Amino acid sequence: MGLLDEFLPIFKAYASEWIQIKDKFCPFTLESVPYGMSIDNNLTDPHCWVCVTVNKCWFKNEEGKKPEHFDYSTYSYSSIGKSNRGIYHPFCHCREYAINVPKLNDIGLIIDPLKSNDFFKRKLGWFREMGYKDADKNEFINLLQEKAKDAYRKGNYKKEAHNKYGYKIGLFISIPGKNEKKNKIYNVKTIYIIFPNEKLRLITYIGDWNENL
């Protein structure tokens, strides 16, 4: 393999609007653990949770929308050589690869069926404040899901947290009011975890409601 072959993927990823993170040596992803469980380093060793939680996941190639690179500014090359400076930690094998912008119909959602009931139990007031009636519940949930997928593919999100459960994001969406509120738009934030291969797992349908979102 020539020098150009080695560095061309790096150059392409740097210039790409979207990237996929992959570790060709790691068989583990978030799909390797039961629903809602966290990554256990003892089970994925020698692969750490930082890498496993983003392995094969897709990200907008912008600061605050993808995992942060390791800061080597305080390390000398004699302590950590250039060849050992992985993007997320020393000796990390993860790489960023250029990909196309996700297509709306290719984005999959992983949703616990109980999430809908939980939303209407805890935040029914928000639902009704937007002008929706009980007969509109399915329509409202479908709208939230489609808006979330569209926001993700457009990069309208930011990192909420990156921990052993995954890379959690807040997606910014606008919901049109209905009935007597049909002329109003409600800006809300919906929370998901980015999963491998163009999938998102729902955490909460509406995590915040603020006109300034």
Side-chain angles (χ1 to χ4, degrees):
M1 177 182 292
L3 189 63
L4 180 61
D5 294 325
E6 180 180 355
F7 286 99
L8 187 58
I10 298 175
F11 296 147
K12 286 184 176 180
Y14 179 80
S16 178
E17 186 177 352
W18 277 78
I19 56 169
Q20 183 182 39
I21 296 165
K22 287 192 292 185
D23 179 353
K24 63 181 180 180
F25 299 105
C26 180
F28 304 107
T29 70
L30 278 176
E31 294 178 324
S32 303
V33 298
Y35 184 92
M37 298 294 289
S38 64
I39 297 297
D40 185 343
N41 284 346
N42 293 320
L43 299 179
T44 61
D45 185 69
H47 306 285
C48 71
W49 68 263
V50 174
C51 300
V52 173
T53 52
V54 297
N55 192 23
K56 299 184 180 179
C57 293
W58 294 41
F59 298 90
K60 188 74 164 29
N61 192 16
E62 294 180 7
E63 184 177 352
K65 298 182 181 183
K66 67 176 185 177
E68 297 177 6
H69 288 193
F70 190 85
D71 182 6
Y72 290 99
S73 62
T74 60
Y75 297 87
S76 67
Y77 282 103
S78 60
S79 61
I80 303 177
K82 185 175 181 180
S83 62
N84 295 327
R85 297 191 171 205
I87 58 177
Y88 301 129
H89 58 79
F91 302 99
C92 171
H93 295 119
C94 293
R95 297 280 294 272
E96 295 177 346
Y97 295 89
I99 57 173
N100 294 325
V101 176
K103 295 180 180 178
L104 185 64
N105 292 336
D106 292 335
I107 299 170
L109 299 181
I110 305 169
I111 298 178
D112 183 335
L114 297 178
K115 290 289 187 180
S116 297
N117 291 336
D118 179 66
F119 170 76
F120 290 117
K121 180 180 179 181
R122 296 190 300 112
K123 298 177 180 177
L124 185 63
W126 288 7
F127 168 75
R128 289 178 173 165
E129 178 64 25
M130 297 180 194
Y132 291 85
K133 313 299 182 185
D134 286 352
D136 303 319
K137 287 183 177 180
N138 288 338
E139 174 192 345
F140 188 77
I141 291 298
N142 290 335
L143 180 62
L144 287 176
Q145 293 176 5
E146 289 303 304
K147 290 279 187 178
K149 291 193 291 184
D150 191 46
Y152 173 62
R153 70 174 299 275
K154 291 177 177 176
N156 293 334
Y157 71 85
K158 70 174 183 179
K159 183 184 81 170
E160 294 289 319
H162 184 195
N163 53 36
K164 292 182 179 181
Y165 288 92
Y167 193 94
K168 184 166 67 173
I169 60 173
L171 293 148
F172 302 102
I173 62 177
S174 296
I175 302 298
K178 193 171 182 181
N179 297 308
E180 72 277 8
K181 301 295 182 67
K182 64 181 180 180
N183 293 323
K184 298 196 67 174
I185 297 294
Y186 298 89
N187 297 315
V188 303
K189 183 168 64 175
T190 182
I191 310 297
Y192 283 80
I193 287 177
I194 296 180
F195 258 60
N197 303 310
E198 298 180 274
K199 292 193 288 290
L200 303 171
R201 181 169 73 81
L202 177 69
I203 300 300
T204 183
Y205 275 116
I206 298 182
D208 200 1
W209 177 5
N210 188 325
E211 293 182 357
N212 295 320
L213 287 174

